Amino acid sequence: MDVPADLVRGYRRFRAERYAAEAERYRELASGQAPRTMVIACADSRVDPAVIFSAAPGELFVVRNVAALVPPFEETGTFHGTSAAIEFAVVNLQVERVVVLGHGMCGGVAAALAAGESQPVGRFIGPWVDLLAAPRDAVLAEAAGGGQVDRQRALEHRAVQQSLANLASFPFVRERVEKGRVAMHGGWFSIAEGELRWLDPASGSFERLPA
């Protein structure tokens, strides 16, 4: 079999280290999962929620896509991967919280900014990051004279807030939030500093969590 050597090495480390230490947990998980937290994160290879939160197998239900975006609730069309994951986590697994986790230097957010300046960003990426059209246009208008780094950071933060607003548009999410059965949270992770900032709903700012 033509299996990439680096993946084989990683698998062998997993078997020798993690699986060996948590074999009983994996056997228990074979009968089902009951995570308390769902994380909607970016597909970026540098931002792994299980690593950031030091999560054990079975603790997090994670869906990853470009820029950690949540589309608004709608029932037209055919493919709804992120929406299906949200429904499964909230309705079937009955998670207690949903976290939208953005991050620094996000390529999806950079693509949204580029699209706002009429630059080509990709056949499939373009329509997806257009979910950020409204907050992107607001950022570009507010920071017309600012630098690229500031615009990028501002839209990364607003992307999290937009996704939380879209998440609340799902009736089964909104109902459970109103009944206190589900909580929604927003976070932003700095890759370079390894720091996590958490959204304060009252102020709308992202506050650094103490390490």
Side-chain angles (χ1 to χ4, degrees), residues 157 161 186 197-208:
H157 287 180
Q161 294 168 312
R197 295 179 181 268
W198 210 251
L199 176 61
D200 180 351
S203 66
S205 61
F206 286 77
E207 306 293 337
R208 183 169 60 87

Side-chain angles (χ1 to χ4, degrees), residues 96-157:
E96 299 174 9
R97 61 188 74 92
V98 181
V99 177
V100 176
L101 182 64
H103 70 93
M105 298 174 285
C106 179
V109 169
L113 287 169
E117 296 173 342
S118 300
Q119 299 178 32
V121 296
R123 177 177 298 178
F124 298 107
I125 296 172
W128 178 251
V129 299
D130 199 46
L131 288 169
L132 293 177
R136 175 200 64 209
D137 293 346
V139 165
L140 291 175
E142 294 167 8
Q148 178 66 24
V149 173
D150 292 335
R151 292 196 296 270
Q152 173 89 16
R153 175 73 61 88
L155 187 53
E156 286 166 356
H157 287 180

Side-chain angles (χ1 to χ4, degrees), residues 155-168:
L155 187 53
E156 286 166 356
H157 287 180
R158 293 203 187 187
V160 173
Q161 294 168 312
Q162 181 66 58
S163 283
L164 288 170
N166 289 347
L167 182 61

